[in-house]
Amino acid sequence: MTRWIAAAGAGVISLDSIINVAFPAMAAAFAEPPERLRWVIVCYVLTYSITAFVGGALADRVGHARVFLVGLGLTAVALAVGAAAPTFALLLGARILQGLGGGLVYGTAPGLATLAVAPGARGRALGFLNAGIGVGFTVGPLVAGVLIAHLGWRSTFYVRVPIALGVLAWAVAGLPTVRGAATRLVAAADVLRRAVLVPGALSFVANASIFSVWLLAPFYLVLVRGLDAVTAGLLFVLTPLGTAAAAPLAGVAADRFGARSPMVGGLVLEALGLLALSRAGATTDLPVIGGALLAAGVGVGVFQVPNMAEIMGAFGSAQQGAAGGFAFLARTLGVVTGVLLLAALFAARRDTVGLQPAFGEAFLVAGLAVGVAGAAALAVSRRPR
């Protein structure tokens, strides 16, 4: 039951993808330009990236279940505050609070998932966890269009409050409150190792680049293609759907063949999807766009599970909280960096070359970055240890 609860809690956090399709409506409601909406992502993701590592390390001392429960409680409160925020500034404050809760959940979920299984089954356990995360990412855009069209963007916050409370009640009833086993907090020497930093750097690049889809694709689909929120959500969902579908299979592959081959394959596929999106114009066939979005999502799903398994395997059993926290730290720092840089690139080029070419250039930069990461991963995997 523990891995189910861990996956459900992480799924609640990843359900935040529901607001990406709401960005155009939020921008209109607060009279903000598209690039300003990056702070809705940054305030949340930057907060939970740091909190995930700290919370995971703390969980090794005080118990993963305790920290996990606090995170779910903070998430429910933050969602209610965000739904009622009257100004853009207060919305950003709610997002910071939400990031604190999300980081505590993300930082402890990998440890909850892996501590109950043998090391040889770690990939499968993390595949199950990442599938739960992928389901949250998938369901969010799928229902967002309907909610926004009928109830407005605030409903994307309100609808998650009872879900978070439901999972919290399940976790209170089902998680064993076992105290952590670590005798000391994680030290710099535990992290500053090649076995940790290399997969962490690859995760940083992969997630920095995929958020060109999460940040810019909704605007491309609505502003350039003129699609309504429901249709845009159905297309956009192909990226997280691909990630969720690929995660369990990637976990099996990591346990059987090792982490490096699926990591390289995932990076290559993600790069191809992003490069295909960079060539999408105002008249590109929607099935072509959908195929590119799906390829990028599958690539991330194939990459992330073995990448997380490699990071978790570099730490001992008493430091699985810190290991999971570092995995999410690398992932989410990449997201923050990608959002800031790609949004700035898009804003600068939009006034020079126009809306649609600016989207293309942002996707091109993202695709090339992942391609370089794939080549680096291949070179590292061939180097004698």
Side-chain angles (χ1 to χ4, degrees):
M1 180 183 289
T2 299
R3 69 170 186 168
W4 283 91
I5 296 174
V12 168
I13 307 306
S14 64
L15 194 58
D16 195 69
S17 62
I18 199 171
I19 73 165
N20 290 77
V21 180
F23 282 167
M26 293 169 68
F30 291 113
E32 297 286 352
E35 61 270 16
R36 281 274 292 167
L37 269 292
R38 62 184 168 176
W39 295 108
V40 176
I41 295 177
V42 171
C43 287
Y44 172 59
V45 176
L46 181 59
T47 304
Y48 85 61
S49 67
I50 298 171
T51 307
F53 183 57
V54 175
L58 179 64
D60 288 330
R61 294 292 301 273
V62 303
H64 291 77
R66 292 184 175 92
V67 179
F68 185 82
L69 294 173
V70 172
L72 284 173
L74 283 177
T75 296
V77 172
L79 289 171
V81 173
T87 66
F88 190 65
L90 288 176
L91 175 64
L92 297 184
R95 294 290 282 173
I96 293 173
L97 180 62
Q98 188 183 342
L100 290 173
L104 295 180
V105 173
Y106 270 162
T108 51
L112 286 172
T114 59
L115 285 171
V117 301
R122 184 179 285 126
R124 291 176 177 83
L126 292 174
F128 188 85
L129 173 66
N130 279 269
I133 294 172
V135 167
F137 277 128
T138 302
V139 171
L142 196 60
V143 302
V146 176
L147 288 173
I148 296 162
H150 293 90
L151 299 174
W153 68 265
R154 294 182 186 275
S155 63
T156 61
F157 284 86
Y158 278 126
V159 75
R160 289 179 283 163
V161 175
I163 298 173
L165 291 175
V167 176
L168 174 61
W170 185 20
V172 169
L175 284 182
T177 55
V178 179
R179 188 173 180 84
T183 57
R184 62 176 177 82
L185 289 174
V186 65
D190 299 315
V191 176
L192 299 179
R193 296 178 287 135
R194 179 175 175 268
V196 176
L197 295 181
V198 170
L202 295 176
S203 179
F204 177 92
V205 175
N207 286 280
S209 298
I210 198 62
F211 255 73
S212 61
V213 173
W214 290 99
L215 176 66
L216 299 177
F219 288 104
Y220 165 77
L221 294 172
V222 173
L223 299 181
V224 176
R225 300 310 302 266
L227 302 178
D228 59 83
V230 175
T231 306
L234 289 174
L235 267 176
F236 182 73
V237 79
L238 291 172
T239 295
L241 180 62
T243 301
L249 298 177
V252 174
D255 286 337
R256 182 169 298 180
F257 305 112
R260 289 310 173 102
S261 294
M263 282 171 58
V264 171
L267 289 171
V268 170
L269 187 56
E270 180 190 353
L272 292 175
L274 292 173
L275 292 174
L277 285 173
S278 74
R279 300 182 61 83
T283 59
T284 304
D285 291 340
L286 292 183
V288 174
I289 297 172
L293 290 169
L294 181 63
V298 171
V300 171
V302 171
F303 165 80
Q304 282 187 338
V305 176
N307 176 263
M308 182 176 282
E310 184 154 300
I311 292 174
M312 301 287 284
F315 289 82
S317 60
Q319 292 183 319
Q320 288 298 286
F326 178 82
F328 275 106
L329 174 65
R331 181 183 297 190
T332 51
L333 284 181
V335 170
V336 172
T337 302
V339 167
L340 290 174
L341 295 182
L342 292 170
L345 171 64
F346 168 75
R349 296 297 291 164
R350 178 190 57 195
D351 297 333
T352 303
V353 301
L355 191 64
Q356 187 275 318
F359 282 118
E361 290 182 7
F363 287 128
L364 177 62
V365 169
L368 291 175
V370 178
V372 171
L378 182 61
V380 170
S381 65
R382 288 180 172 178
R383 182 182 302 169
R385 289 181 179 269

